[in-house]
Amino acid sequence: DAYGQSARSRLWRMSQNSDLSDTETETQAQTEAIDAGEVFDLIRNINDPEHPLTLEQLHVAQLRHITVDHENSRISVVFTPTIPHCSMATLIGLCIRVQLLRCLPARFKVDINVEEGTHQSEKSVNKQLNDKERVAAAMENSHLVEVVNQCLATTIDKIAAY
Amino acid sequence: MDSNKCTTLSGHTDRVWQAQWHPTRLSLVSCSGDRSVRVWNVKMESANDQSPVASILDAHKRTVRAVAFSPAGDLITSAGFDGATAIWEHVGDGEYECVATLEGHENEVKCVAWSSSGSLLATCSRDKSVWVWESLGDGDFECIGVLHEHSQDVKQVVWHPSAEVLVSASYDDTMKIWREKDDDWYCSDTLTGHSSTVWSVDFDTSGVYLVSVSDDKSIKIWQNKNINDGFSLFSCVATLENAHSRAIYSVSWSKTHGKIATCGGDNAIKIFSFDPASNVITPVHEIPAAHGVFDVNCVRWCPLEQSGSLLASSGDDSQVKVWELQRVCA
């Protein structure tokens, strides 16, 4: 979609800092090593659905909770809900997933999980976030997409400003 | 490893969830996140990138999750995230017409399956239910059972190859066996053992064995020596842990040569054999990166005796592929 394309092209412009055409940039991004810092840059400024603060400011997302296995194209993001009964945990995880789906090269397999012991429904939140069919269905729910886009809205501008 | 001969069917513009064979012709029907259903004639000898012979664009208002040809091959059913199940009839010239829509599920329909006789249809949904429909002819279908025993989404429904016995696989980590008695459908058995979502199941040609694959990355084989007896239960006779390195999304048990094909989130297609004498599952072949860097969502062996070594796969790369695996199946 248009939003995803814009997010991707800005990310690559940022990481390449050059005026290569989109396809050339894409080819480079496919093979370029992406590290945990870059993944963190993509999600740190996601807005919390309930607070006027970012996931970084709330310590929901932390650099030390991101691991990138470049060789096997795997990324693991662990996030920490602010309270153990946070009803927004699934939505926050979905925002992280959508942002990474839209911004990272397709070869990456991304696992998103709640930090162990920090949420009362940890298992069910994790299961839902890592079920591709559930995620695909969620992304066809226009209300949910609108909420996710709001949480991601300022993220893109902040990425571009780096 | 053998080089794998393969032909590519291109036309979908989003993830292809499923591709299913026609019962008597070398044709496939596929469905996608692009909301379309497409029909393909498979020509293994011709160049790559064959185009569909028919496309039902906007078959559903959302993702089309599952499709199937009827056992007579004259109808196509499609199941959509819009909550509907549609029946399509070929009206000539690559045109399909919607002859019936089955409504009732509260949200995403995830699978649709015909019984071997073609008289029954089963659907399942995120609403946790399994529905059984009877075909009355002329595009009329009557719901004869609404089955509510799964505690979570139902991912797939598959009929026994000859008996009117249905199996459902669920996000609740179990499978359930459904039977009819005195016009009532009931659950006769719940198969537990997987530690996460059961994505897919399939019977062997005899219907004595059932194979299941899961998000827990394992393959399990279940046996029921007396399927026609409603009191006879399935037992797990073999497990292969870590058969794939990520979730396993689909399994197909060949009715012509008995090999088991699986695929999943690790981009691989794998072929296994099962030996009922020793209850051992043995890997026999692997196609890594079958759809490049993308997940493989579905595998299906061709049901035709003379073409049983053809395996159809569909992936997140928007493509359907057909693999010639003659040497593996010999």
Side-chain angles (χ1 to χ4, degrees):
Chain A
D1 57 7
Y3 181 95
Q5 275 166 13
S6 140
R8 265 192 297 277
S9 65
R10 286 188 200 203
L11 165 74
W12 286 329
R13 227 175 291 146
M14 174 188 77
S15 63
Q16 298 294 314
N17 195 22
S18 73
D19 41 349
L20 292 172
S21 77
D22 269 3
T23 42
E24 282 171 312
T25 319
E26 185 165 349
T27 315
Q28 289 201 4
Q30 292 286 339
T31 52
E32 177 201 6
I34 285 179
D35 63 22
E38 284 168 287
V39 175
F40 184 57
D41 282 344
L42 291 171
I43 63 171
R44 66 200 295 177
N45 290 310
I46 295 173
N47 294 310
D48 184 272
E50 290 181 311
H51 308 92
L53 294 168
T54 67
L55 298 189
E56 181 184 23
Q57 287 165 331
L58 291 164
H59 297 287
V60 171
Q62 299 178 62
L63 177 58
R64 66 189 175 91
H65 284 160
I66 298 171
T67 52
V68 177
D69 173 355
H70 184 69
E71 197 175 326
N72 296 307
S73 299
R74 305 233 170 139
I75 292 174
S76 162
V77 176
V78 170
F79 69 101
T80 315
T82 47
I83 40 172
H85 51 272
C86 175
S87 61
M88 293 290 149
T90 313
L91 178 58
I92 292 169
L94 185 63
C95 289
I96 295 172
R97 177 160 297 285
V98 170
Q99 176 74 347
L100 296 183
L101 269 175
R102 287 172 176 173
C103 296
L104 289 172
R107 69 189 156 92
F108 282 103
K109 308 286 182 178
V110 180
D111 292 315
I112 297 175
N113 290 288
V114 167
E115 186 184 1
E116 212 178 317
T118 64
H119 197 275
Q120 62 189 16
S121 311
E122 183 183 318
K123 207 181 158 209
S124 78
V125 171
N126 290 345
K127 195 169 186 180
Q128 201 166 339
L129 288 174
N130 293 298
D131 181 317
K132 69 184 284 186
E133 192 184 58
R134 285 278 192 107
V135 172
M139 294 323 293
E140 291 189 347
N141 174 330
S142 54
H143 170 69
L144 199 50
V145 170
E146 202 174 304
V147 174
V148 167
N149 282 344
Q150 273 167 18
C151 293
L152 300 181
T154 56
T155 308
I156 293 303
D157 300 330
K158 287 177 184 167
I159 289 172
Y162 281 129
Chain B
M1 190 162 291
D2 296 330
S3 61
N4 299 294
K5 195 182 160 202
C6 153
T7 189
T8 302
L9 312 177
S10 299
H12 281 295
T13 56
D14 199 324
R15 155 192 296 151
V16 185
W17 280 108
Q18 226 186 31
Q20 299 267 28
W21 290 96
H22 189 277
T24 55
R25 286 199 311 260
L26 273 185
S27 293
L28 286 164
V29 59
S30 60
C31 63
S32 160
D34 69 11
R35 305 175 185 190
S36 76
V37 169
R38 293 175 200 263
V39 181
W40 318 79
N41 287 341
V42 178
K43 298 183 201 75
M44 290 308 286
E45 67 280 5
S46 59
N48 277 353
D49 291 339
Q50 297 172 41
S51 308
V53 292
S55 293
I56 308 172
L57 303 174
D58 298 314
H60 286 261
K61 295 187 191 79
R62 294 189 180 181
T63 283
V64 190
R65 178 64 181 90
V67 279
F69 279 110
S70 61
D74 55 338
L75 301 174
I76 290 172
T77 48
S78 60
F81 279 1
D82 58 5
T85 304
I87 318 283
W88 306 88
E89 189 176 26
H90 190 219
V91 290
D93 270 352
E95 293 289 318
Y96 282 83
E97 198 176 270
C98 181
V99 293
T101 311
L102 312 183
E103 309 269 358
H105 283 294
E106 284 169 33
N107 44 41
E108 297 97 285
V109 185
K110 305 208 162 184
C111 188
V112 55
W114 294 89
S115 66
S116 60
S117 67
S119 63
L120 298 175
L121 201 59
T123 56
C124 62
S125 162
R126 187 165 75 90
D127 69 11
K128 307 173 188 174
S129 69
V130 173
W131 291 43
V132 181
W133 311 77
E134 187 176 2
S135 170
L136 307 173
D138 293 332
D140 278 341
F141 288 82
E142 184 189 9
C143 177
I144 55 169
V146 178
L147 316 173
H148 276 293
E149 289 197 32
H150 279 295
S151 62
Q152 295 288 343
D153 313 18
V154 188
K155 296 291 197 185
Q156 199 190 24
V157 277
V158 174
W159 289 94
H160 185 275
S162 53
E164 286 190 343
V165 172
L166 182 70
V167 56
S168 56
S170 170
Y171 186 90
D172 69 10
D173 307 351
T174 75
M175 287 156 277
K176 286 181 184 286
I177 308 293
W178 308 91
R179 299 167 186 273
E180 188 244 50
K181 194 184 177 194
D182 303 332
D183 291 336
D184 273 331
W185 284 82
Y186 69 101
C187 174
S188 67
D189 196 357
T190 300
L191 283 58
T192 58
H194 281 295
S195 60
S196 190
T197 301
V198 186
W199 278 103
S200 181
V201 290
D202 200 12
F203 283 97
D204 78 325
T205 188
S206 70
V208 170
Y209 291 95
L210 183 67
V211 61
S212 60
V213 294
S214 162
D215 181 60
D216 70 12
K217 308 181 189 73
S218 76
I219 301 174
K220 285 181 184 290
I221 308 270
W222 312 77
Q223 183 188 32
N224 186 337
K225 286 182 185 153
N226 194 1
I227 191 80
N228 292 316
D229 167 13
F231 298 101
S232 175
L233 301 180
F234 276 87
S235 60
C236 183
V237 294
T239 300
L240 184 66
E241 304 282 359
N242 297 309
H244 283 255
S245 62
R246 292 183 70 82
I248 311 178
Y249 292 130
S250 178
V251 63
S252 177
W253 200 330
S254 169
K255 307 295 183 280
T256 70
H257 53 71
K259 295 286 189 299
I260 295 167
T262 59
C263 65
D266 63 358
N267 311 337
I269 293 173
K270 298 194 183 193
I271 314 294
F272 299 88
S273 64
F274 171 67
D275 175 15
S278 60
N279 284 335
V280 173
I281 307 167
T282 310
V284 292
H285 190 64
E286 178 174 351
I287 307 169
H291 286 252
V293 299
F294 294 91
D295 289 4
V296 188
N297 296 315
C298 178
V299 278
R300 287 289 179 276
W301 288 112
C302 181
L304 306 181
E305 193 67 45
Q306 67 279 17
S307 304
S309 59
L310 297 182
L311 181 75
S313 65
S314 59
D316 276 1
D317 60 351
S318 311
Q319 294 191 323
V320 177
K321 294 189 178 191
V322 182
W323 307 84
E324 169 54 76
L325 299 171
Q326 212 154 18
R327 227 187 295 175
V328 180
C329 304

